Amino acid sequence: MSIETIWVLAEVADGKPITTSLELITQARSLAGTVEAVAWGPGTADVAGTLGEHGVTTVHDVGDIGDALPGVPVASAVAAAVAAGKGPDAILFPATYDGRDIAGRLSAKLDRPVLTNVVGLSADDGGLVSQHAIFGGTQVVTARFTGEGPGIFVVRAKSFAAEPSGGAAAAVVPLAVDDTGATNTAVVVARHVEERSGPKLDEADVVVSGGRGLGEKDSYAMIEELAGLLKGAPGASRAIVDAGWVPYAYQVGQTGKTVKPTVYLACGISGATQHLVGMKNAKNIIAINKDQDAPIFTVADLGIVGDVHKVVPKLIEALKARG
Amino acid sequence: MNVVVCVKQIPDPAAPAALDPGTHNLVRSGKLILDDSDAYGVEMALQLADAAGGGEVTLVSMAPNGETSGLRTALAMGAAKAILVSDDSLAGSDALSTAKVLAAAIRRAEPDLVIAATESTDGYTGTTPVQVAELLGLPSVTFAKKVEVDGQTVKVERQTEAGYDEVTSPLPAVVTVTAGVVEPRYPSFKGIMAAKSKPVDTLTAADLGLDGSQVGAGGARQQIISVVEAEARSAGEVVVDEGDAHERVIQFLEQLKIL
């Protein structure tokens, strides 16, 4: 099976396609002759320019889905297109909340399996093969689909670089939602935005993260202060997000954000596999932890064996003194 | 209100994991334990059934060799009974095949609500619960950080990139919960003793009307081509703090031109 057409789920946030979607579109250009996108929401026409710049020729627009969650309507629209013989050879999804929902629904609708946690995609023997980092990134599995039907891949953020190719605005064509029965009955009744200042966690040049070693919720304030002094973003391990110290949006790791900053400063984080997966590709890693056997030290370029409650305040003081 | 919780019994994450060199399946021959992520779902289900004034919590699991040790942990927490699907033909099942097995088993329990973790700790595909919902023709709400049931409606706070959404869905529905949605209880001694005699209904794929072309390695339509060691990131300099380690950090940041 040769790869002629790839569809990429173009998720839109704040009026722009999300970076991970642009990364997937960029990679899809090198794998298929035709790259098209699937989008939903009231503003698809407004993102056709950016999508076109990155190589998308056509945007299949599911349209405004109102208060529905996107999983069911978007998957149903794509499944209908595939059933009508108008589907692509492969569909790439960003590993976001909605991307995973849509991919899961689509997989069951088409009776096609799904490959998730993809960190690399290449063409091989006329088909697509995907790379997956397993066991905390210590091993790389290469996999492919067998049988008929489009390949469904869910790809992690920052697996590729997003680069425009200078194309014209993509054409927008409607993609109709099929009958969804009882499945599409969940509704969003309110949306809450948790404000945060400074650079975005997944775009910051410096990320300062805190973990359970901080001991208590109040100690997280020094992580935020240190991040601020370094013009970076504060992050967190799953342990303290689960404990309710900071919102989920701060989480770095398997179930949180994947970050690739110039410097990642891990404070009081032991380095569980779940966390390492999200940050081990940082260009430089500094770890501060009092347990010299903590796994975080196996990936740290600079490891400080010490108490975060002593080292971090001194660091903050020294940075303030520099002005 | 009757609640089904999908639970997975996995190799102890603290022990080194390995893939079988022949089949590339995760080695599951050792003792299996209840996936930590599932303890949150079990606790949530127990609390919701309690708040609704009664009803049973039923566990549904798929595992090799009739494995029940992880199920006993969840039964000891307070679940009433379990349905275990165990069959040699299920080895090598992909996420969709697993979803078909779980959906068929869940149908038997006729629940008002199905709860699962957002993803397992060992495989972390993260799509199985939504695939189950689609196969059962049910709505789903994923990534719940808070769940309440009010009559025939489930109210969920669902995590989003920006914060969270309040979502409501009619029952029955599938809800996936994040770790931290509730604090799981520790099984009491009484609970552990009681769990030993709680019913575990063990079924084969054939009992559920599934054949080898739909599940297991025979039904999997994805294959692993290779497994290689990743480029290792090596440990760098280690400094034991003697009151001045912050100076080394500053120096390091200067070298990187961050300062």
Side-chain angles (χ1 to χ4, degrees):
Chain A
M1 161 185 98
S2 72
I3 297 294
E4 285 167 16
T5 306
I6 292 179
W7 285 8
V8 176
L9 186 81
E11 204 172 320
V12 176
D14 302 328
K16 291 183 293 190
I18 63 166
T19 307
T20 313
S21 287
L22 297 178
E23 290 165 5
L24 298 188
I25 290 164
T26 304
Q27 182 68 6
R29 286 199 320 251
S30 68
L31 299 169
T34 305
V35 180
E36 299 180 346
V38 175
W40 73 93
T44 300
D46 303 334
V47 297
T50 309
L51 295 174
E53 254 173 54
H54 285 78
V56 170
T57 52
T58 300
V59 186
H60 300 274
D61 182 14
V62 179
D64 194 345
I65 60 168
D67 294 329
L69 292 170
V72 173
V74 177
S76 125
V78 173
V82 172
K86 294 173 188 160
D89 300 303
I91 313 174
L92 311 183
F93 292 88
T96 56
Y97 304 109
D98 291 336
R100 284 187 2 174
D101 275 8
I102 298 166
R105 286 275 173 186
L106 181 64
S107 158
K109 281 177 187 291
L110 296 179
D111 194 23
R112 284 290 286 162
V114 52
L115 284 166
T116 64
N117 289 300
V118 174
V119 296
L121 277 168
S122 47
D124 178 61
D125 203 16
L128 277 185
V129 298
S130 54
Q131 277 80 45
H132 309 253
I134 61 163
F135 301 153
T138 55
Q139 293 186 38
V140 179
V141 164
T142 301
R144 71 169 160 225
F145 288 109
T146 57
E148 291 298 309
I152 305 171
F153 298 93
V154 182
V155 188
R156 290 186 65 85
K158 297 195 166 52
S159 297
F160 314 104
E163 282 163 24
S165 58
V172 179
V173 298
L175 191 65
V177 176
D178 208 10
D179 180 26
T180 53
T183 56
N184 196 21
T185 47
V187 290
V188 178
V189 294
R191 298 179 201 272
H192 297 264
V193 175
E194 287 164 345
E195 293 292 340
R196 52 185 291 162
S197 56
K200 282 183 151 180
L201 180 56
D202 47 1
E203 289 168 9
D205 213 24
V206 177
V207 173
V208 182
S209 283
R212 209 193 287 275
L214 291 171
E216 56 175 3
K217 184 179 180 176
D218 290 351
S219 297
Y220 191 79
M222 67 183 181
I223 298 299
E224 287 180 306
E225 187 174 10
L226 181 56
L229 287 165
L230 294 171
K231 297 180 182 61
S237 72
R238 175 170 154 177
I240 70 165
V241 173
D242 286 353
W245 296 2
V246 291
Y248 186 80
Y250 285 60
Q251 187 168 318
V252 173
Q254 176 66 43
T255 38
K257 295 278 192 306
T258 304
V259 299
K260 277 188 182 177
T262 305
V263 179
Y264 189 87
L265 187 46
C267 305
I269 291 178
S270 66
T273 292
Q274 138 79 237
H275 189 74
L276 295 181
V277 171
M279 48 61 80
K280 69 192 278 284
N281 289 323
K283 289 185 195 75
N284 298 278
I285 297 171
I286 304 173
I288 305 170
N289 199 299
K290 63 182 175 192
D291 175 10
Q292 61 175 2
D293 297 323
I296 192 80
F297 288 127
T298 64
V299 299
D301 300 284
L302 175 62
I304 306 293
V305 180
D307 185 347
V308 287
H309 298 96
K310 290 180 181 156
V311 181
V312 174
K314 281 186 185 162
L315 200 48
I316 288 171
E317 212 174 298
L319 288 168
K320 279 184 176 166
R322 294 166 66 99
Chain B
M1 186 179 63
N2 292 320
V3 187
V4 158
V5 187
C6 299
V7 297
K8 191 169 182 184
Q9 304 176 84
I10 63 167
D12 189 342
L19 295 183
D20 181 285
T23 63
H24 291 140
N25 292 337
L26 185 66
V27 174
R28 296 177 195 274
S29 53
K31 183 178 180 299
L32 301 182
I33 61 169
L34 178 69
D35 188 337
D36 243 359
S37 315
D38 291 330
Y40 302 93
V42 174
E43 179 65 40
M44 191 75 250
L46 292 169
Q47 290 188 15
L48 290 173
D50 225 27
E56 274 186 341
V57 174
T58 304
L59 310 169
V60 170
S61 187
M62 176 176 123
N65 310 323
E67 178 70 46
T68 60
S69 51
L71 289 177
R72 294 290 171 203
T73 306
L75 290 169
M77 287 173 69
K81 58 187 197 305
I83 300 174
L84 171 67
V85 189
S86 191
D87 190 326
D88 288 346
S89 73
L90 296 175
S93 287
D94 60 32
L96 181 57
S97 299
T98 304
K100 287 177 184 175
V101 171
L102 295 176
I106 291 165
R107 229 177 244 125
R108 297 193 155 208
E110 297 181 350
D112 301 299
L113 175 66
V114 179
I115 294 181
T118 54
E119 62 191 7
S120 65
T121 304
D122 62 342
Y124 55 84
T125 310
T127 53
T128 309
V130 172
Q131 289 167 324
V132 166
E134 181 63 28
L135 292 167
L136 292 173
L138 297 180
S140 56
V141 186
T142 52
F143 299 100
K145 61 172 197 156
K146 192 173 172 198
V147 186
E148 283 173 26
V149 171
D150 183 3
Q152 281 304 302
T153 303
V154 60
K155 296 179 178 179
V156 173
E157 287 185 8
R158 178 183 186 250
Q159 284 168 350
T160 63
E161 299 293 334
Y164 67 95
D165 287 350
E166 286 174 48
V167 182
T168 63
S169 170
L171 296 176
V174 175
V175 173
T176 75
V177 296
T178 58
V181 68
V182 280
E183 190 58 41
R185 71 193 68 182
Y186 286 103
S188 64
F189 178 71
K190 203 176 141 195
I192 293 167
M193 295 311 289
K196 291 181 179 172
S197 55
K198 285 183 176 172
V200 177
D201 192 6
T202 304
L203 304 172
T204 63
D207 291 339
L208 294 169
L210 298 165
D211 68 53
S213 67
Q214 292 170 290
V215 294
R221 282 152 299 158
Q222 58 195 42
Q223 60 182 192
I224 289 178
I225 305 166
S226 69
V227 181
V228 296
E229 293 289 321
E231 205 175 312
R233 187 174 184 123
S234 50
E237 177 189 347
V238 175
V239 177
V240 177
D241 181 37
E242 283 168 0
D244 57 358
H246 60 283
E247 288 170 14
R248 179 68 191 100
V249 176
I250 299 266
Q251 209 179 34
F252 190 81
L253 292 172
E254 281 173 342
Q255 284 165 3
L256 298 174
K257 306 204 187 315
I258 293 292
L259 297 176

